[in-house]
Amino acid sequence: MLSPARRADSPLAAAAEVALRANWREGRHRGGLQYGYTCPAPPRYRHMWHWDSCFHAIAWRLVDPARARTELRTVLRSGRPDGFLPHTVFWDAPAGWRRAPLYATRGLLGDWRTESIGPPLLALAWEIVAAASPDEPDFAGEALHELAAHMDWLARTRDPDDDGLLTIVLPDESGLDDSPKYEPVFGRLTHDRLGYLLLIERARRLRWDVRALTERYDHHVEDVWMNVAYALSLRALGRLAGDPSWTQRAERVERALLERCYDERTGLFFDLAGRDERPVRVSTWSALSPLVLDGIPEHVRRRIVEQHLFDARRYHAPVGIPSVSMEEPTFNPRWDRFRCWRGPSWINTAWLLVPAMRRLGYEAEAATIVASLVTATERDGFREYYDPLTGEGLGARNFGWSTLLVDLLE
Ligand code: GLC
């Protein structure tokens, strides 16, 4: 792996910096709060998204660590003192009238942030950016209280059955909006159907009380990827704070994933849906994501790599790692009417899975995946996602977190 400084010298890094600078927004919000963040890709994605910003900061640290720190502080500032952090924040531009009803804000007429959450990656990003901040050594410790409050908020409000696993009540809370894994759970209330508006309205009516929602309805999941993100951040907070109790909490999440979501027959991890917690047997990259947790037994992680990532019928594609197994009947490698996470390869998932493959010694295969994405970005730029069969860039252009590819260069 190149050192951060060497990676920052590459031509890809120069292109990444151009993309990130073009998407940077800063100013003061009407309420008085100062902000500085990278929008994923204007004009379609003009706002701040929690997990996008965590990834942006990780990419920024290679070229401008001060911006990385500003972006993470802005994420923190978007929350509430009780530890809640929103999925989307409308700092400098309200949502357009056509899209506004699709955001899970407090009132139907919108607000400056959503009441929904995103994959909780902030503590992980904080640790990575802190390691690149020798110019500001206090950064590592400055938000320990708030990061802890955020983790406590998640445990308190999003794990109503106290089994260690967080629950999501909207499909897009995991960031995987239209993934086919949500179809059997949300049915006509899925993200790409009109019923989604009903799902938001129902959560509003119950004031986002997840305990009440999960007791009354079956439209919720203990989502594998969401909990992988949670465990990653708990471990990062343990290291940042030097407090082993956070690590123990991460281990509890990992044990719960293994005991409750792991399917011995297929070697995949499945979400648990509804009140009877039925496993959702759809193979998407989320079912592979526990690969990134070193606390998952090595033989389980090797099985994910060898039986899924290396299988040409499943995830071993010419370009990147498909977001849905090519074996699934729903797999679609192409652009799909703005529906995302239905097949194309994304760079943030490669950023998560490739280092985990390397840690297990699958260096050559990891290098092939990275090289395929470098070729695709050199040709088509930093796109939202890529056709895993042809490498064609699809979706939004100049897409923020796709610059993470620089961090995978060797
Ligand atoms: C799409 C993606 C989501 C992302 C958002 C902003 O909705 O599905 O994961 O956070 O765009 O980039």
Side-chain angles (χ1 to χ4, degrees):
M1 186 77 119
L2 283 182
S3 70
R6 288 279 313 285
R7 265 173 269 151
D9 279 345
S10 64
L12 196 67
E17 186 171 355
V18 171
L20 289 169
R21 288 203 187 280
N23 293 0
W24 182 254
R25 302 289 180 270
E26 60 186 25
R28 190 180 286 279
H29 182 245
R30 279 176 279 122
L33 292 175
Q34 198 89 34
Y35 62 80
Y37 74 97
T38 317
C39 53
R44 181 168 168 76
Y45 302 112
R46 305 180 279 135
H47 316 296
M48 187 183 91
W49 274 265
H50 181 97
W51 76 319
D52 294 69
S53 281
C54 292
F55 287 133
H56 296 152
I58 293 168
W60 268 119
R61 89 188 193 289
L62 297 171
V63 292
D64 189 341
R67 284 242 164 131
R69 294 189 293 264
T70 300
E71 182 133 15
L72 295 186
R73 288 174 176 134
T74 301
V75 171
L76 212 52
R77 227 167 271 152
S78 71
R80 286 192 308 247
D82 67 355
F84 164 78
L85 290 173
H87 184 54
T88 315
V89 186
F90 312 97
W91 285 115
D92 51 351
W97 63 272
R98 254 183 313 195
R99 292 194 56 78
L102 299 172
Y103 288 110
T105 47
R106 186 147 40 151
L108 189 58
L109 297 176
D111 197 354
W112 69 287
R113 62 183 172 202
T114 62
E115 296 293 309
S116 54
I117 57 170
L121 288 173
L122 185 57
L124 175 74
W126 206 282
E127 185 193 23
I128 295 173
V129 169
S133 297
D135 53 328
E136 232 189 275
D138 290 346
F139 181 75
E142 79 175 36
L144 291 179
H145 177 76
E146 289 91 337
L147 293 173
H150 176 48
M151 290 295 141
D152 286 341
W153 184 90
L154 289 169
R156 200 167 62 240
T157 65
R158 289 305 189 119
D159 181 13
D161 59 359
D162 193 29
D163 65 351
L165 297 175
L166 304 180
T167 293
I168 60 170
V169 293
L170 300 179
D172 51 314
E173 288 195 302
S174 68
L176 311 179
D177 309 7
D178 310 299
S179 173
K181 73 176 181 157
Y182 296 128
E183 272 160 29
V185 186
F186 291 94
R188 59 186 184 82
L189 309 185
T190 47
H191 188 254
D192 63 313
R193 303 183 68 171
L194 219 55
Y196 179 71
L197 298 175
L198 212 73
L199 201 61
I200 301 180
E201 206 38 51
R202 180 198 278 173
R204 279 189 186 123
R205 218 176 42 237
L206 291 179
R207 298 174 180 278
W208 294 91
D209 178 343
V210 166
R211 188 175 303 277
L213 279 165
T214 53
E215 274 166 10
R216 259 176 240 195
Y217 303 101
D218 283 316
H219 304 105
H220 47 88
V221 275
E222 293 179 314
D223 187 278
V224 171
W225 153 241
M226 198 71 179
N227 282 287
V228 166
Y230 183 41
L232 284 172
S233 272
L234 286 168
R235 277 190 183 273
L237 184 54
R239 289 184 295 262
L240 277 171
D243 176 350
S245 70
W246 297 109
T247 316
Q248 283 155 13
R249 279 165 68 167
E251 285 163 359
R252 180 167 182 240
V253 178
E254 291 164 353
R255 257 196 321 276
L257 282 168
L258 199 62
E259 282 165 15
R260 316 209 45 237
C261 303
Y262 186 54
D263 179 58
E264 182 65 48
R265 203 173 54 79
T266 55
L268 294 167
F269 287 78
F270 293 129
D271 295 354
L272 302 174
R275 282 167 292 191
D276 52 1
E277 305 190 314
R278 54 189 193 286
V280 185
R281 299 179 184 283
V282 182
S283 180
T284 72
W285 83 275
S286 157
L288 316 179
S289 64
L291 171 64
V292 311
L293 298 173
D294 292 338
I296 297 292
E298 189 176 319
H299 70 273
V300 173
R301 288 182 282 136
R302 287 198 185 278
R303 199 171 157 200
I304 291 175
V305 176
E306 291 173 10
Q307 294 186 6
H308 295 280
L309 284 168
F310 288 178
D311 188 327
R313 289 164 307 168
R314 296 177 173 158
Y315 291 91
H316 183 74
V319 179
I321 302 169
S323 44
V324 174
S325 166
M326 295 181 281
E327 219 171 35
E328 286 289 340
T330 47
F331 168 75
N332 178 2
R334 310 272 319 146
W335 187 81
D336 183 349
R337 294 181 294 129
F338 292 112
R339 296 198 298 178
C340 42
W341 301 102
R342 301 185 66 85
S345 297
W346 296 67
I347 287 174
N348 63 334
T349 58
W351 182 84
L352 286 156
L353 299 174
V354 164
M357 290 172 66
R358 285 181 178 149
R359 283 199 295 280
L360 291 171
Y362 303 105
E363 292 283 343
E365 294 84 355
T368 309
I369 294 172
V370 174
S372 69
L373 289 167
V374 169
T375 306
T377 47
E378 278 171 357
R379 199 190 52 207
D380 286 358
F382 294 111
R383 299 293 296 265
E384 190 174 358
Y385 42 79
Y386 300 84
D387 183 325
L389 307 179
T390 66
E392 186 187 344
L394 304 167
R397 289 168 200 277
N398 223 35
F399 194 74
W401 77 39
S402 295
T403 61
L404 279 175
L405 187 55
V406 178
D407 208 25
L408 289 178
L409 294 182
E410 285 203 299

